[in-house]
């Protein structure tokens, strides 16, 4: 049963988030499904509750630009845009800092992170009370429409999340604009702040190349699928039933014997734990000296297993 909370229950909602639970909350754009971004299990729970068939990077919400820029590297463009539009519906994609506290799963394993300071009193109060970054995609089941009221959130997620804070209807109602500043400025998604307003601050912004109708319908069905994704440098071999001494083993359940190194995704064969450890495991084995490949034990398709296998299949695809 999902707790119905009001704006007066911020402390309760923050306690739930800190305990690794999921809380729906209003922002000025749409309702977000929040999790403590530092907690991989909580972030895995977001994908589970939404029923997402793949991991795509989530936007991390902060109470101030200062808090956001403690986790990512901000340049002059980012600082100028933050000064002009935060709090507000603009998301900036920036390189993670060394020692970034945000769990790798929240950024789908990428070296960049999408950050934003929302302009909604309830969202800001919640993030400040939790005292840390809140990872939050829209609070709807995968494939559903973004919710702009607490009733919409409950229609999709009642019983699947710990609580929702009813803060009334979202004033903007469309998603945030997403701008990639990890290189030259590129618009990734239109949203609440116009490109013209952004260009007035930092000059010319690149648009992604026009896409064909087929690509457009594909990206509409599964936003995030078109993103370049994290892939390790070592070749990845799936469905391993034996392993050699020059391979690193990504284990699920009782590990195969004979590997050069082992990273355990989940001793207990728990797909949620495995999801939370997936990107950390790929990176750890990839960085280990002397290995020629990564062998991955089979992960069942049930629940988050489908998203894990989707990401592993991409990591194993010939490049
Ligand atoms: P939503 O799930 O509705 O909050 O949307 C998040 C948007 O931000 C999606 O379009 C993602 O593809 C995009 N996004 C988040 N993180 C990154 C990143 N590190 N690089 C590129 N795009 C990102
Ligand atoms: Mg969405």
């Amino acid at each position: 049963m999902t707790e119905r909370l009001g704006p007066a229950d911020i402390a309760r909602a923050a306690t739930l988030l800190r305990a690794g639970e999921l809380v729906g909350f209003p922002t000025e754009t749409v309702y977000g499904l929040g999790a403590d971004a530092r907690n991989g299990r909580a972030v895995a729970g977001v994908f589970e509750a939404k029923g997402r068939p793949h991991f795509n990077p989530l936007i991390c919400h902060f109470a101030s630009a200062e808090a956001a820029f403690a986790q990512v590297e901000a340049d002059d463009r980012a600082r100028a845009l933050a000064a002009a539009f935060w709090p507000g519906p603009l998301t900036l994609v920036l390189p993670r800092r060394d020692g970034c506290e945000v769990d790798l799963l929240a950024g789908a394993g990428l070296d960049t992170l999408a950050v934003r300071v929302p302009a909604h009193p309830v969202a800001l109060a919640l993030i400040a009370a939790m005292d840390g970054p809140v990872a939050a995609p829209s609070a709807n089941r995968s494939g559903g429409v973004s919710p702009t009221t607490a009733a919409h959130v409950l229609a999709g997620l009642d019983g699947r999340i710990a609580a929702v804070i009813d803060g009334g209807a979202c004033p903007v109602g469309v998603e945030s604009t997403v701008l990639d500043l990890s290189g030259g400025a590129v618009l990734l998604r239109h949203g609440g702040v116009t490109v013209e307003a952004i260009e007035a601050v930092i000059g010319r912004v690149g648009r992604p190349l026009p896409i064909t109708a087929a690509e457009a319908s594909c990206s509409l069905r599964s936003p995030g699928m078109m993103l370049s994704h994290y892939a390790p440098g070592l070749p990845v071999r799936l469905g391993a039933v034996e392993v050699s001494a020059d391979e690193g083993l990504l284990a699920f359940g009782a590990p195969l014997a004979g590997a050069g190194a082992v990273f355990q995704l989940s001793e207990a064969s728990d797909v949620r734990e495995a999801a939370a450890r997936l990107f950390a495991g790929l990176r750890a084995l990839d960085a280990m000296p002397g290995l020629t490949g990564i062998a991955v034990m089979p992960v069942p398709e049930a629940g988050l297993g489908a998203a894990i296998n989707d990401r592993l299949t991409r990591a194993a695809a010939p490049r």
Side-chain angles (χ1 to χ4, degrees), residues 17-110:
L17 285 178
R18 272 198 301 270
E21 300 287 344
L22 308 181
V23 177
F25 65 98
T27 79
E28 80 279 31
T29 61
V30 301
Y31 271 71
L33 175 55
D36 182 342
R38 301 163 297 195
N39 178 339
R41 270 192 79 86
V43 175
V46 168
F47 292 103
E48 191 170 66
K50 284 182 69 92
R52 268 198 186 165
H54 54 265
F55 299 124
N56 54 343
L58 307 179
I59 297 171
C60 284
H61 297 73
F62 296 84
S64 68
E66 194 191 359
F69 296 159
Q71 305 298 332
V72 292
E73 283 169 21
D75 57 14
D76 290 344
R77 298 169 304 174
R79 289 181 193 286
L81 290 170
F85 300 113
W86 282 357
L90 175 64
T91 295
L92 301 177
V93 175
L94 293 164
R96 293 170 68 103
R97 273 187 195 281
D98 285 343
C100 177
E101 292 179 290
V102 174
D103 189 85
L104 279 174
L105 182 62
L110 297 171

Side-chain angles (χ1 to χ4, degrees), residues 52 57-59 93 110 112-114 136-138 175 178 188-189 224 227:
R52 268 198 186 165
L58 307 179
I59 297 171
V93 175
L110 297 171
T112 55
L113 199 62
S138 52
E175 273 111 345
V178 181
L188 297 182
R189 177 173 81 186
L227 268 177

Side-chain angles (χ1 to χ4, degrees), residues 2-317:
T2 297
E3 283 182 48
R4 274 74 165 164
L5 303 176
D9 304 315
I10 295 295
R12 168 72 185 147
T15 299
L16 288 168
L17 285 178
R18 272 198 301 270
E21 300 287 344
L22 308 181
V23 177
F25 65 98
T27 79
E28 80 279 31
T29 61
V30 301
Y31 271 71
L33 175 55
D36 182 342
R38 301 163 297 195
N39 178 339
R41 270 192 79 86
V43 175
V46 168
F47 292 103
E48 191 170 66
K50 284 182 69 92
R52 268 198 186 165
H54 54 265
F55 299 124
N56 54 343
L58 307 179
I59 297 171
C60 284
H61 297 73
F62 296 84
S64 68
E66 194 191 359
F69 296 159
Q71 305 298 332
V72 292
E73 283 169 21
D75 57 14
D76 290 344
R77 298 169 304 174
R79 289 181 193 286
L81 290 170
F85 300 113
W86 282 357
L90 175 64
T91 295
L92 301 177
V93 175
L94 293 164
R96 293 170 68 103
R97 273 187 195 281
D98 285 343
C100 177
E101 292 179 290
V102 174
D103 189 85
L104 279 174
L105 182 62
L110 297 171
D111 294 323
T112 55
L113 199 62
V115 300
R116 152 171 131 82
V117 177
H120 193 291
V122 171
L124 286 173
L126 176 64
I127 299 163
M130 195 200 72
D131 197 21
V134 175
S138 52
N140 51 277
R141 294 293 293 270
S142 181
V145 175
S146 294
T148 54
T149 66
H152 294 165
V153 176
L154 288 167
L157 297 174
D158 197 7
R160 301 176 70 88
I161 63 177
V164 62
I165 308 175
D166 189 345
C170 301
V172 176
V174 296
E175 273 111 345
S176 61
T177 303
V178 181
L179 184 71
D180 186 354
L181 291 179
S182 62
V186 178
L187 180 74
L188 297 182
R189 177 173 81 186
H190 287 284
V193 173
T194 65
V195 196
E196 291 74 21
I198 293 170
E199 290 185 325
V201 177
I202 60 165
R204 177 98 187 116
V205 166
R207 275 69 161 178
L209 291 173
I211 52 178
T212 65
E215 285 167 342
S217 80
C218 168
S219 72
L220 282 180
R221 265 184 284 120
S222 47
M225 293 293 280
M226 311 295 280
L227 268 177
S228 68
H229 57 275
Y230 168 71
L234 288 176
V236 174
R237 182 167 73 81
L238 302 183
V241 289
E242 32 52 62
V243 61
S244 64
D246 60 354
E247 288 181 305
L249 181 71
L250 202 56
F252 184 80
L256 298 169
V262 176
F263 187 99
Q264 181 58 265
L265 287 177
S266 174
E267 186 87 57
S269 301
D270 169 4
V271 284
R272 181 157 168 187
E273 180 181 32
R277 293 171 59 74
L278 175 65
F279 293 108
L282 286 169
R283 281 176 184 266
L285 292 175
D286 205 26
M288 209 148 305
L291 299 178
T292 61
I294 297 173
V296 186
M297 290 176 63
V299 175
E301 275 285 303
L304 279 175
I308 294 173
N309 285 323
D310 169 77
R311 203 40 68 135
L312 286 169
T313 303
R314 291 152 186 270

